[in-house]
Amino acid sequence: MKMVQTGMPAELKAFRMAAGGAGGGGGGRTYSFKVVLLGEGCVGKTSLVLRYCENKFNDKHITTLQASFLTKKLNIGGKRVNLAIWDTAGQERFHALGPIYYRDSNGAILVYDITDEDSFQKVKNWVKELRKMLGNEISLCIVGNKTDLEKERNVSVQEAEGYAESVGAKHYHTSAKLNKGIEELFLDLCKRMMETAQADERAKGNGASQSGASRRGVQIVDDEPQAAPATGGGCCSG
Ligand SMILES: Nc1nc2c(ncn2[C@@H]2O[C@H](COP(=O)(O)OP(=O)(O)OP(=O)(O)O)[C@@H](O)[C@H]2O)c(=O)[nH]1
Ligand SMILES: [Mg+2]
């Protein structure tokens, strides 16, 4: 999990090829989305991803260097969704690497620690940067993590939720430690990204020159059954 990344990892290349390929058989379609986690060091970004992808939790803080990458496959209402999740380093010295990871992202999860007011201010800085660089095309999630430490809360729920609404983001409450709110967060984000991709597709169908989806590299693979029915030999199971 704690791998140092400098370029596109082989796993991501494989992920993109699979997503852009024949669609793996079966009805429906496959959506491929890129999601990036941003936020101050020690707020629990890695813990959220580890809990979501591997249902693990580590009490120790192992600082992420640069970024690490995991994938997750979901099925939402019969539609396959492949997530490429980038967990970035929160340490300030890595801030300048941010654009490498948020560029082309369909969704961003901006994490703060509910016991740490500074980490909430850092989320506001990320929101400003993302809106400036990517506009409204990216689905933003603001996440107050460590809700198991409610007694030590230093960021008011009202303030955080009000702020999220004011910038067109959605707010979520999570505890990576207790596995609270994480499935809901990712599921909701996926649904929002699917809606955006579908709207982009409709706009494209209506003659828009270049849809947001294609600009961001969303790959929507239609895999309606072709003339010849698949008789085994498919590469993926449903
Ligand atoms: N109590 C509590 N601790 C948590 C929770 N999530 C993470 N932690 C702890 O917070 C510390 C930091 O977690 P990480 O997931 O490594 O934080 P990070 O945001 O990835 O940090 P960087 O990689 O340095 O940016 C670790 O000691 C975790 O065990 C949570 O929900 N509750
Ligand atoms: Mg980390």
Side-chain angles (χ1 to χ4, degrees), residues 48-221:
L48 289 169
V49 178
L50 259 189
R51 178 62 90 185
Y52 182 58
C53 294
E54 298 177 8
N55 199 16
K56 287 180 187 156
F57 180 78
N58 185 354
D59 263 317
K60 274 191 269 165
H61 175 207
I62 303 164
T63 306
T64 304
L65 301 174
Q66 296 193 8
S68 66
F69 166 78
L70 281 178
T71 61
K72 175 96 175 174
K73 292 181 182 212
L74 297 93
N75 192 311
I76 301 176
K79 302 201 169 63
R80 276 179 298 236
V81 178
N82 293 337
L83 287 184
I85 304 173
W86 286 93
D87 167 29
T88 66
Q91 283 186 355
E92 194 50 40
R93 66 191 168 110
F94 293 115
H95 186 108
L97 297 179
I100 295 173
Y101 303 107
Y102 64 64
R103 197 180 49 205
D104 298 331
S105 285
N106 306 98
I109 298 177
L110 310 176
V111 187
Y112 67 93
D113 171 345
I114 64 159
T115 71
D116 177 0
E117 168 69 25
D118 284 349
S119 71
F120 184 62
Q121 296 308 318
K122 188 74 193 272
V123 161
K124 292 183 175 178
N125 294 342
W126 278 119
V127 168
K128 276 188 209 134
E129 182 169 337
L130 291 174
R131 287 290 186 224
K132 186 172 154 210
M133 304 301 287
L134 305 175
N136 287 327
E137 286 186 353
I138 187 163
S139 297
L140 294 187
C141 303
I142 296 179
V143 175
N145 187 40
K146 309 196 186 181
T147 54
D148 54 289
L149 301 177
E150 187 61 42
K151 287 195 289 282
E152 297 161 47
R153 176 182 281 279
N154 274 315
V155 180
S156 105
V157 171
Q158 210 183 354
E159 185 197 347
E161 291 184 345
Y163 170 74
E165 203 182 331
S166 74
V167 294
K170 278 194 74 177
H171 188 280
Y172 303 84
H173 304 270
T174 61
S175 168
K177 186 171 184 166
L178 302 182
N179 195 8
K180 289 268 168 67
I182 301 170
E183 289 281 342
E184 294 87 333
L185 158 68
F186 280 95
L187 181 62
D188 199 48
L189 173 59
C190 284
K191 287 180 179 169
R192 288 163 61 199
M193 293 189 298
M194 285 166 80
E195 279 167 20
T196 303
Q198 284 160 3
D200 283 346
E201 237 204 346
R202 280 195 298 273
K204 203 176 171 188
N206 288 342
S209 59
Q210 193 189 22
S211 75
S214 57
R215 275 200 301 282
R216 282 192 313 271
V218 180
Q219 296 171 22
I220 302 168
V221 181

Side-chain angles (χ1 to χ4, degrees), residues 23-36:
R29 53 181 25 175
T30 301
Y31 292 85
S32 294
F33 296 124
K34 178 180 165 187
V35 173
V36 63

